[in-house]
Amino acid sequence: QGQLVESGGGSVQAGGSLRLSCVASGYIFGACGMGWYRQAPGKERELVSTINIDGTTTYADSVKGRFTISQDNAKNTLYLQMNSLKTEDTAVYYCAAPKRAMGWVCTEDKYWGQGTQVTVSS
């Protein structure tokens, strides 16, 4: 089964930037859309951004214009470039990749990374 390993989190002052990476093992990029989620203490996990199989992207309104999702299929790596960070961006960030049924159908069931902490201070 797939395994996702995240990196790039850390502490940064408001207005700064971070780049998150998620490396997938045993998973083929390009077959299904992938995404980044985040969860702040006491809050539900929320979708931050997705990248579809055709390369189109979506962003939560709260991050649109500041975050950019991308992937490198050759390296099996998903990225989230985060610019102009705000204190409200503080959360644990997770990458997610859909599992596949019958070897080819993309499902709502997901592989999850372990999460990487992003802390933004004023």
Side-chain angles (χ1 to χ4, degrees):
Q1 61 183 38
Q3 182 178 29
L4 308 177
V5 179
E6 301 165 349
S7 63
S11 298
V12 65
Q13 292 187 195
S17 299
L18 287 172
R19 189 191 194 196
L20 306 184
S21 299
C22 175
V23 179
S25 300
Y27 192 88
I28 305 300
F29 275 52
C32 306
M34 299 182 66
W36 287 95
Y37 293 73
R38 67 185 181 186
Q39 187 168 23
K43 304 293 184 180
E44 292 188 354
R45 187 173 300 183
E46 65 173 339
L47 178 64
V48 176
S49 180
T50 66
I51 183 165
N52 218 323
I53 58 175
D54 62 358
T56 59
T57 58
T58 69
Y59 298 92
D61 288 342
S62 59
V63 308
K64 191 173 183 178
R66 301 186 296 117
F67 290 11
T68 303
I69 189 171
S70 63
Q71 65 182 36
D72 186 335
N73 288 355
K75 297 181 179 180
N76 271 16
T77 302
L78 181 72
Y79 302 99
L80 185 68
Q81 178 67 47
M82 305 184 294
N83 298 326
S84 301
L85 283 162
K86 304 176 180 179
T87 56
E88 49 262 48
D89 295 319
T90 296
V92 177
Y93 284 71
Y94 302 88
C95 63
K99 296 181 179 179
R100 302 180 71 177
M102 303 299 294
W104 63 280
V105 177
C106 301
T107 73
E108 294 300 316
D109 197 14
K110 299 177 179 66
Y111 296 109
W112 294 95
Q114 80 285 355
T116 184
Q117 177 71 49
V118 172
T119 302
V120 184
S121 58
S122 60

